[in-house]
Amino acid sequence: MKALTYLNQDRFSARSVPDVSQPQSNQPQNQPSGPSPFLPLKAFNFFLYGAIAVFASFFPLYLQDGGMSKLEIGTLMAIGPFVSLIANPFWGYLGDRMENTRRMLILMLAGTLVLSQFVFHVQSYAMIYLAMIAFYFFQSPVFAQSNTMILGYIDGTNRKFGGFRLWGSLGWALTAAAAGFVIDRAGTSPGVPWLFTGLIAATLLVAVVLPSLRRPTATSIVAPGGFGKVLANPTFASFLLLGVLVSIPNAMNGTFMTLYITDLGGSRQMVGWAVFSASAVEALFFLLFDRFFRKKLGFMMVCLTVVSALFAVRWYLMSTVTDPMHIVYIQMLHSITYAGYFYVGTLMTSMFVPTAYRGTGQALFTLSWSGVSGIVAGILGGWMFDNFGAPMMYQSGTVLSVIGAVGFAAMGYTLYRSGQLTPAAASTGSAGSKR
């Protein structure tokens, strides 16, 4: 098996693509004790992604029904990415220091469950902004740390990351479709609060029954300077920067797509089907990536370029729609664009970041995808939607995605010219699952 050998911190800070060609032992290094965690892990992903699908897809409609404008909604939703700039590093660092990732996630989910009740029941704008700040401090890093937990459970096994992440896709798709049906009949209030609370509670219960997961004794505890060491790799830093450009229009779509559908005359149930179509085939792509993906840096750069170009096509098509049903069809492109970027990004992060900084690296990847970009998307997207309409907002997203595609292509060419695309990444195991 081939895996990263960048456990030496001085070597990790060198300004080059890491050497991933040295062999390591095939012996399991971080096995959980007690019953098998694999079935509960699938249920955990299913309920977690289902809960966030309800919140991300229908909470903007909940706010619009409460009387907020699109700029106010965008600004409120931008609180999450803004808070994540602090929350993701905090929880990433804490996760790297804690002996039990599962215990940390239980704390985060419990905080999310409790604070969501304040979000749904406060009566003034000032109070909902304060409640959202506290809520997002616990909720925004959950995805990054759940990925770290999955990678920890499957470390040293023949299990693959995509095989568990696909259950998140199924949870997102099926829950969104069912939620659209329920909310269309019950209304956004009380439909959204009830559904989100129930799904987060189910996620928390599954996390409690997962067996303990502990850091292998050979792994050193991360030092406070970990973020500087992770970002010292210019290839990884460039990947994060270009990812921000590509993810801004994706975050705009995530916040405002549901409002676009209703503005065009679509129902809440159609919103559910649009979210379903975006994720229904995503699980298949994760399985295909696990089976056929070539874990070589050069191939990954080509994939990022192609995915960014497909994002540009997707946003251009969104800028031309006149019928809400067209959005349901266009959303199918999400399965390849998001799944492709998420899979490659998770794998590249685990390649560039040593084991001791795994939580930190995944936190930075999440920040690039939904943190900085989410702030820009919420405020700029809301302003453009309010003043120029959704088509102009999506046209700006097309331009940003084209710039990202060109940037990834240039980055890949630069690495090729410097001879840094030769090493292969981790072997046929999970994305970054071998330490």
Side-chain angles (χ1 to χ4, degrees), residues 14 24 49-50 56 66 112 120 125 142 172 219 221 308 314 342 421 424:
Q24 287 191 355
Y49 280 79
T112 299
F120 289 124
Y125 283 167
V142 166
W172 188 286
T219 301
I221 299 296
S308 299
R314 181 181 169 191
F342 180 92
L421 294 184

Side-chain angles (χ1 to χ4, degrees), residues 208-229:
V208 169
V209 303
L210 279 168
S212 178
L213 175 66
R214 295 185 179 276
R215 181 190 303 277
T217 56
T219 301
S220 60
I221 299 296
V222 67
F227 285 97
K229 290 183 172 62

Side-chain angles (χ1 to χ4, degrees), residues 104-410:
M104 185 185 70
L105 271 168
I106 289 174
L107 175 62
M108 295 167 69
L109 290 167
T112 299
L113 179 61
V114 172
L115 290 165
S116 65
Q117 306 313 303
F118 290 92
V119 170
F120 289 124
H121 293 99
V122 295
Q123 300 299 320
S124 68
Y125 283 167
M127 289 304 298
I128 195 173
Y129 274 88
L130 290 175
M132 289 285 281
I133 290 172
F135 168 80
Y136 275 124
F137 183 79
F138 285 86
Q139 185 273 322
S140 59
V142 166
F143 280 157
Q145 297 311 314
S146 65
N147 292 338
T148 302
M149 184 179 71
I150 293 171
L151 292 173
Y153 276 117
I154 64 179
D155 192 17
T157 74
N158 60 356
R159 303 281 180 156
K160 299 181 180 180
F161 177 77
F164 293 91
R165 178 55 182 81
L166 69 86
W167 284 91
S169 300
L170 290 173
W172 188 286
L174 297 176
T175 303
F181 177 83
V182 172
I183 293 171
D184 200 36
R185 285 151 180 79
T188 53
S189 180
V192 176
W194 287 358
L195 288 170
F196 181 77
T197 299
L199 288 165
I200 282 292
T203 308
L204 179 58
L205 289 174
V206 174
V208 169
V209 303
L210 279 168
S212 178
L213 175 66
R214 295 185 179 276
R215 181 190 303 277
T217 56
T219 301
S220 60
I221 299 296
V222 67
F227 285 97
K229 290 183 172 62
V230 169
L231 291 174
N233 187 319
T235 304
F236 184 55
S238 298
F239 159 66
L240 295 179
L241 180 60
L242 290 171
V244 169
L245 294 179
V246 176
S247 62
I248 287 174
N250 187 72
M252 287 180 180
N253 183 71
T255 300
F256 298 107
M257 182 269 295
T258 57
L259 304 181
Y260 192 20
I261 289 176
T262 56
D263 279 2
L264 291 172
S267 65
R268 269 63 171 169
Q269 189 167 353
M270 186 175 290
V271 168
W273 284 116
V275 179
F276 173 85
S277 70
S279 304
V281 193
E282 192 177 87
L284 174 62
F285 281 104
F286 279 117
L287 288 175
L288 291 175
F289 289 145
D290 265 348
R291 184 171 180 82
F292 299 109
F293 194 80
R294 296 169 54 195
K295 298 177 179 68
K296 295 183 178 179
L297 192 57
F299 180 70
M300 293 180 190
M301 296 307 305
V302 173
C303 287
L304 290 177
T305 303
V306 172
V307 165
S308 299
L310 287 175
F311 266 126
V313 172
R314 181 181 169 191
W315 308 139
Y316 173 75
L317 292 174
M318 287 290 286
S319 73
T320 65
V321 300
T322 56
D323 187 319
M325 195 62 197
H326 296 165
I327 297 178
V328 177
Y329 300 139
I330 296 171
Q331 281 288 100
M332 293 179 182
L333 285 172
H334 178 88
S335 293
I336 180 62
T337 51
Y338 174 76
Y341 194 91
F342 180 92
Y343 191 97
V344 176
T346 301
L347 182 61
M348 288 184 72
T349 299
S350 64
M351 284 176 60
F352 292 134
V353 178
T355 301
Y357 296 92
R358 178 176 283 173
T360 299
Q362 292 297 338
L364 285 170
F365 175 54
T366 301
L367 283 177
S368 73
W369 182 250
S370 61
V372 177
S373 57
I375 297 172
V376 176
I379 299 173
L380 179 63
W383 176 77
M384 293 187 71
F385 201 146
D386 255 350
N387 291 278
F388 304 102
M392 181 63 70
M393 181 186 73
Y394 281 108
Q395 287 171 16
S396 68
T398 303
V399 174
L400 289 175
S401 296
V402 169
I403 294 173
V406 173
F408 282 125

